[in-house]
Amino acid sequence: MPAPWWQSAVIYQIYPRSFADANGDGIGDLPGVTSKVPYLADVLGVDAIWLSPFYPSPQKDFGYDVADHADIAPEYGTLDDFDALMATCSEHGLRVIVDFVPNHTSDQHRWFLESRASRSAGKRDWYVWADRAPDGGPPSNWLSVFGGSAWEWDAETGQYYLHSFLTSQPDLNWRNPEVRAAQHDVLRFWLDRGVSGFRIDVAHFIAKDPEMRDNPAAIADDGDGWFKELGAYDAQSHLYDKGHPDVHGFFRELRKVFDDYPDTYSIGEIHEDDPRAWVSYLGAQGDELHQVFDFSLLYAPWDASALRELLDRQEAILPEGAWPNHVLGNHDEPRFAFRRGADAARIGAMLLLTSRGTPTLYYGDELGMTQPVIPPEDQLDPWGRAGEVVGRDGCRTPMQWDGSVHGGFSAPGTASTWLPVHPDHVTRNVATQLSDEDSILNLHRRLLAARKASPALQLGDYLPLDGLPDGVLGWERISGDDRRVVLLNLATRYEFVDGVHGTIEVATTVHREHERVTGRLLLAAHEGVVVRPA
Ligand code: GLC
Ligand code: CA
């Protein structure tokens, strides 16, 4: 049996609002994405795109507050535009994955408007409603990820509703079979339009404790103050407000819908530190989600021994038949190059695209895009405005296509873009980097091409290399006769690696490519190479 397409694929995440603005209103749109398909498929060489939500929405959480699951937000286009995008993608052999937001809707969704109309409304039980606690307060101590109680009082009907995120994002009640059936129809709607799969937003949130018990404290307050720094949300152990075991039944039902359409792929956004809980979402029989995002590279200490440990650990915890995945950035996290710097961005690209697993590349990371610092009061992101975190506007600034006034994201005559284009677009952009052989964009292109040409890099086994100098991380990928050795010097000094024989196929420093290595390989600081063994 050949491996499923998504195991050898490279997925590229597009934040539609920020990718390309075709009609000059300063907001990215679907025709904009369509115009860039040749770049994605033929210039860069990725295999699939994942589109963050483009559905009608009040945009309180920039699309993760869905007001209609089966349409396109007017600022992004129409269903015809979506079909045109699908057609262009299919001409270029690019698959499309869409974002499925199961846990909540916008409070403007017709389901919620009907649910909140009265206690006896037909859809009352489609959301999570509860009476006051005996003390008159909210039904439990559950907190919103975005701050404050997860319960909002509805004076009209005299009950609270649950919102794990914004008050304008009420949680659906997945225990209601009508809700599940309606959500399955949403999946079918997009599958019928030709999508190849779904990224599932906060997937494990859909099952909560039916008794709505209080979450216990994460750790006792020992009075030394660090407990406070945790922030209220992290100070709770989230035993009861997400990840209830019933979630597995819900996922098995989703999987049946997926399996009705050949080759469908699903990947869940599940932030879960406990490895056993994490793998459980793949299903005991491999009958739930195809993959669960592995966010560990985002937070790992950036040194050879920590990364080695992390990659080995992932291999160890994955059950038989499961396939790893890697990610260095997304629309919720500060940009990789911003956090780690330009050198790490290049070596990170090599790690992402040559380790065993499905990589997801965040738009703009192929340029080493960083991010401007935006003060909380100027942020549009509700989380950023709350001031608790860096905020997410910074990682969502417009894609930098060229050096023109709006970076080629919007036409030069456009009044302004929805978020500022990073000032460094004058030099850091697709056009400039394409003409610079040593750019990080061309490094990505060479890595993607090498990957496509090598069964070992796509689907081969992972064999970590022992006995390397301290700062160097290395492994071999093997598929039959095809082999590649990857060596990454994460140290800030040069290192020698002995016993290497072959030709450098890709290097973070382009001048080293095609070099023959006969025994001793010198790696400059922050240099990484893919060697084709002799
Ligand atoms: C996920 C999304 C994030 C969104 C949240 C609520 O974490 O990635 O952008 O704010 O869910 O839907
Ligand atoms: Ca637009």
Side-chain angles (χ1 to χ4, degrees):
M1 269 246 294
W5 69 268
W6 49 268
Q7 294 190 347
S8 57
V10 177
I11 301 170
Y12 184 94
Q13 182 190 354
I14 292 179
Y15 200 66
R17 210 173 181 80
S18 302
F19 198 58
D21 168 23
N23 65 351
D25 64 356
I27 298 174
D29 44 50
L30 295 186
V33 176
T34 304
S35 73
K36 300 300 184 186
V37 167
Y39 165 77
L40 296 165
D42 311 331
V43 177
L44 187 57
V46 297
D47 306 289
I49 53 173
W50 147 33
L51 294 161
S52 282
F54 44 69
Y55 315 108
S57 163
Q59 307 290 350
K60 294 271 166 47
D61 190 20
F62 294 105
Y64 286 94
D65 46 335
V66 178
D68 183 347
H69 293 98
D71 207 347
I72 309 291
E75 66 261 53
Y76 298 152
T78 62
L79 280 172
D80 285 343
D81 292 327
F82 182 83
D83 293 341
L85 170 60
M86 289 298 301
T88 305
C89 285
S90 118
E91 275 164 31
H92 290 260
L94 199 63
R95 290 179 179 265
V96 177
I97 295 165
V98 296
D99 217 302
F100 175 54
V101 188
N103 179 66
H104 43 265
T105 67
S106 159
D107 61 354
Q108 300 306 306
H109 197 292
R110 66 193 149 77
W111 297 345
F112 188 68
L113 295 177
E114 201 178 323
S115 183
R116 86 182 306 175
S118 80
R119 286 214 192 185
S120 57
K123 289 199 169 53
R124 184 64 170 181
D125 193 42
W126 279 44
Y127 291 81
V128 184
W129 291 96
D131 293 330
R132 294 177 197 278
D135 69 0
S140 73
N141 71 351
W142 296 356
L143 297 172
S144 153
V145 174
F146 291 151
S149 169
W151 295 101
E152 181 74 1
W153 178 248
D154 181 53
E156 292 280 306
T157 58
Q159 276 191 315
Y160 283 92
Y161 67 84
L162 182 68
H163 61 90
S164 298
F165 294 87
L166 297 175
T167 50
S168 56
Q169 290 172 299
D171 283 32
L172 282 159
N173 173 18
W174 273 71
R175 296 187 178 280
N176 183 335
E178 290 176 17
V179 168
R180 302 206 295 278
Q183 290 284 40
H184 298 165
D185 284 346
V186 169
L187 297 172
R188 289 191 196 99
F189 178 87
W190 294 104
L191 286 164
D192 287 337
R193 287 196 119 80
V195 307
S196 291
F198 301 90
R199 175 267 186 185
I200 308 182
D201 190 63
V202 291
H204 58 323
F205 271 72
I206 62 177
K208 292 111 179 158
D209 179 31
E211 291 173 46
M212 303 186 199
R213 278 169 282 190
D214 277 354
N215 283 326
I219 185 169
D221 184 356
D222 58 7
D224 71 358
W226 80 268
F227 177 78
K228 270 209 210 80
E229 286 168 25
L230 267 183
Y233 192 83
D234 292 331
Q236 282 189 0
S237 173
H238 294 273
L239 270 191
Y240 296 123
D241 55 354
K242 57 184 171 191
H244 185 276
D246 290 344
V247 78
H248 299 293
F250 302 161
F251 285 174
R252 282 194 292 271
E253 287 181 358
L254 292 183
R255 182 60 174 260
K256 291 210 177 91
V257 177
F258 300 148
D259 286 348
D260 282 343
Y261 295 76
D263 291 344
T264 301
Y265 165 67
S266 59
I267 181 162
E269 183 212 9
I270 297 181
H271 293 269
E272 172 63 70
D273 296 332
D274 175 358
R276 268 166 315 172
W278 185 81
V279 296
S280 75
Y281 298 109
L282 303 171
Q285 315 296 327
D287 53 357
E288 297 183 32
L289 306 180
H290 296 84
Q291 290 200 305
V292 179
F293 268 117
D294 187 329
F295 295 118
S296 45
L297 280 178
L298 286 169
Y299 313 115
W302 202 248
D303 67 67
S305 67
L307 292 171
R308 159 81 193 260
E309 212 173 287
L310 183 152
L311 292 174
D312 289 359
R313 178 173 157 266
Q314 290 165 309
E315 293 284 338
I317 65 179
L318 279 176
E320 184 73 32
W323 186 250
N325 72 85
H326 303 287
V327 36
L328 298 177
N330 63 36
H331 65 292
D332 292 327
E333 302 290 339
R335 289 256 180 203
F336 186 79
F338 173 75
R339 283 184 295 140
R340 313 263 202 205
D343 291 329
R346 298 177 79 97
I347 224 164
M350 188 169 275
L351 187 155
L352 179 73
L353 297 171
T354 64
S355 51
R356 195 177 87 112
T358 303
T360 300
L361 180 59
Y362 185 49
Y363 86 92
D365 278 0
E366 75 271 33
L367 307 176
M369 267 174 70
T370 70
Q371 55 183 67
V373 176
I374 306 176
E377 62 276 17
D378 292 343
Q379 296 229 5
L380 303 177
D381 170 31
W383 208 6
R385 294 169 87 96
E388 276 195 43
V389 285
V390 183
R392 300 175 297 180
D393 283 2
C395 65
R396 299 172 177 178
T397 61
M399 177 68 175
Q400 299 169 195
W401 297 102
D402 61 35
S404 67
V405 59
H406 298 304
F409 165 73
S410 293
T414 305
S416 66
T417 55
W418 84 281
L419 281 178
V421 182
H422 194 298
D424 79 359
H425 76 270
V426 178
T427 48
R428 186 190 304 284
N429 62 63
V430 172
T432 307
Q433 290 201 12
L434 279 180
S435 59
D436 169 6
E437 201 193 13
D438 203 23
S439 67
I440 184 170
L441 174 57
N442 277 321
L443 171 63
H444 277 86
R445 294 177 67 209
R446 296 195 305 275
L447 284 167
L448 284 157
R451 199 185 147 92
K452 205 155 269 175
S454 163
L457 287 177
Q458 287 190 315
L459 292 165
D461 294 338
Y462 159 84
L463 205 92
L465 296 176
D466 293 322
L468 297 172
D470 279 354
V472 179
L473 173 67
W475 59 81
E476 188 162 0
R477 301 289 312 281
I478 307 171
S479 169
D481 291 343
D482 192 40
R483 288 163 56 213
R484 292 294 182 280
V485 171
V486 178
L487 292 161
L488 308 176
N489 182 9
L490 292 140
T492 49
R493 54 171 194 277
Y494 68 83
E495 295 280 11
F496 287 109
V497 182
D498 285 312
V500 186
H501 298 272
T503 309
I504 297 180
E505 191 175 40
V506 188
T508 52
T509 32
V510 70
H511 67 271
R512 299 219 45 194
E513 292 183 3
H514 313 301
E515 188 179 309
R516 288 269 283 279
V517 189
T518 49
R520 171 161 273 209
L521 170 70
L522 169 73
L523 288 176
H526 310 293
E527 191 169 51
V529 293
V530 179
V531 177
R532 187 186 196 131

